[in-house]
């Protein structure tokens, strides 16, 4: 009896894979112009960032990193750490690949924060919307990257753009969740006082909620950067330039020295960005 039920159940297999494939085929056929426009826009952003990072002399870029760190931190120790990490990447001969990786990371952060922060603000003011959004965010982070990398490749082809799209899908939930948490954690007394003094909804968000949630938003930016760096190797598999390329090459040739060398540079880049953007705000 149990064997019969098992056979009956397996014969009635739900067409999950075929349905999703048909959906992506419909998207590709219906919105091919929109995807081409999106790809062109993303390529222009990537090209601009790549020009800014790769055209100047490496020492000029390192000086710029140190200046940004000093403006944000006002302490010499983070500046020295950032300079040491950047010089290590230059010393190992990975400067161009490091700048290509930073291009991908910065582009993904721009997209993630540009979309994630407004969505987080909206979610904090509309709990029902956030409850409906939560399963989508869980799916974006728990679904294996290689699964949604396949349709991304179909829609955008090889190169930096599919790597950027896959990185954004994986990293954006952190920006949304932490922004929503920061806005929702704003004391009601502050928002009620702002409303009592005649502040509109936009003024209350800009002048009360966003300043209070700034540490959480910066934590979301930090998490977005770290998650983006964790996608470097995945991006290398789809043709995106950067530090993922030597790791993929090392994996294919079983070259432990090359793999650990490139991996060490990725770690130093993560340390550099973490120290550069770790902003502590007293509330």
């Amino acid at each position: 009896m149990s064997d019969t039920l098992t056979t009956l159940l397996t014969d009635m297999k739900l067409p999950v894979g075929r349905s999703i494939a048909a959906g992506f085929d419909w998207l590709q056929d219906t919105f091919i112009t929109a995807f081409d426009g999106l790809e062109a826009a993303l390529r222009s952003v990537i090209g601009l960032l790549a020009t800014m990072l790769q055209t100047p002399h490496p020492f000029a870029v390192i000086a710029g990193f140190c200046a940004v760190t000093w403006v944000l931190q006002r302490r010499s120790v983070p500046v020295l750490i950032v300079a040491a990490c950047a010089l290590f990447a230059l010393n190992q001969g990975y400067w161009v690949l490091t700048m290509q990786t930073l291009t991908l990371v910065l582009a993904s952060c721009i997209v993630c924060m540009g979309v994630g922060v407004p969505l987080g603000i909206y979610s904090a003011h509309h709990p029902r919307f956030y409850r409906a959004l939560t399963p989508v965010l869980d799916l974006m982070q728990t679904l294996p990257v290689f699964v949604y990398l396949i349709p991304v490749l179909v829609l955008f082809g090889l190169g930096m753009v599919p790597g950027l799209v896959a990185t954004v899908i994986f990293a954006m939930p952190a920006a949304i969740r932490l922004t929503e948490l920061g806005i929702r954690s704003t004391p009601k007394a502050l928002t009620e006082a702002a409303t009592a003094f005649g502040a509109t909804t936009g003024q209350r968000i800009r002048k009360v909620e966003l300043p209070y949630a700034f540490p959480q938003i910066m934590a979301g930016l930090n998490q977005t950067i770290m998650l983006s760096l964790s996608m470097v190797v995945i991006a290398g598999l789809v043709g995106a330039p950067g530090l993922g390329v030597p790791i993929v090459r090392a994996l294919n040739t079983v070259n432990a020295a090359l793999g650990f060398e490139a991996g060490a540079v990725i770690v130093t880049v993560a340390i550099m960005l973490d120290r550069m953007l770790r902003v502590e705000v007293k509330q």
Side-chain angles (χ1 to χ4, degrees), residues 69-190:
T69 306
W70 175 258
V71 170
L72 294 177
Q73 306 284 354
R74 296 293 180 180
R75 292 185 293 122
S76 59
V77 174
V79 175
L80 293 175
I81 293 175
V82 168
C85 292
L87 289 172
F88 176 77
L90 182 61
N91 170 262
Q92 294 297 301
Y94 286 89
W95 181 257
V96 175
L97 294 178
T98 300
M99 293 302 102
Q100 291 170 344
T101 294
L102 282 178
T103 299
L104 176 63
V105 171
L106 292 177
S108 66
C109 287
I110 291 172
V111 176
C112 288
M113 300 306 289
V115 177
V117 171
L119 271 178
I121 295 172
Y122 186 84
S123 299
H125 291 93
H126 299 82
R128 187 174 298 177
F129 172 79
Y130 185 65
R131 286 196 296 270
L133 184 64
T134 298
V136 178
L137 300 180
D138 294 338
L139 181 66
M140 290 168 68
Q141 288 197 304
T142 56
L143 190 68
V145 177
F146 292 101
V147 174
Y148 57 73
L149 200 59
I150 299 171
V152 168
L153 282 173
V154 173
L155 295 174
F156 297 104
L158 292 172
M160 184 76 85
V161 174
L164 173 61
V165 173
T167 302
V168 167
I169 293 173
F170 183 68
M172 187 181 294
I176 297 175
R177 292 182 193 275
L178 287 170
T179 301
E180 189 275 339
L181 176 63
I183 297 294
R184 181 165 47 85
S185 300
T186 305
K188 289 186 178 180
L190 293 178

Side-chain angles (χ1 to χ4, degrees), residues 1-12:
M1 182 65 178
S2 60
D3 293 339
T4 303
L5 291 176
T6 302
T7 303
L8 180 64
L9 185 62
T10 54
D11 290 341
M12 298 175 61

Side-chain angles (χ1 to χ4, degrees), residues 1-82:
M1 182 65 178
S2 60
D3 293 339
T4 303
L5 291 176
T6 302
T7 303
L8 180 64
L9 185 62
T10 54
D11 290 341
M12 298 175 61
K13 178 182 176 180
L14 298 175
V16 177
R18 291 197 302 272
S19 301
I20 294 177
F24 275 106
D25 290 340
W26 176 81
L27 280 176
Q28 187 180 16
D29 296 336
T30 307
F31 299 102
I32 185 65
T33 304
F35 284 118
D36 288 343
L38 178 60
E39 182 180 4
L42 293 176
R43 286 191 185 279
S44 64
V45 172
I46 291 170
L48 178 62
L49 291 173
T51 302
M52 293 172 57
L53 291 173
Q54 297 179 33
T55 302
H57 192 276
F59 288 149
V61 177
I62 294 173
F65 289 162
C66 293
V68 171
T69 306
W70 175 258
V71 170
L72 294 177
Q73 306 284 354
R74 296 293 180 180
R75 292 185 293 122
S76 59
V77 174
V79 175
L80 293 175
I81 293 175
V82 168

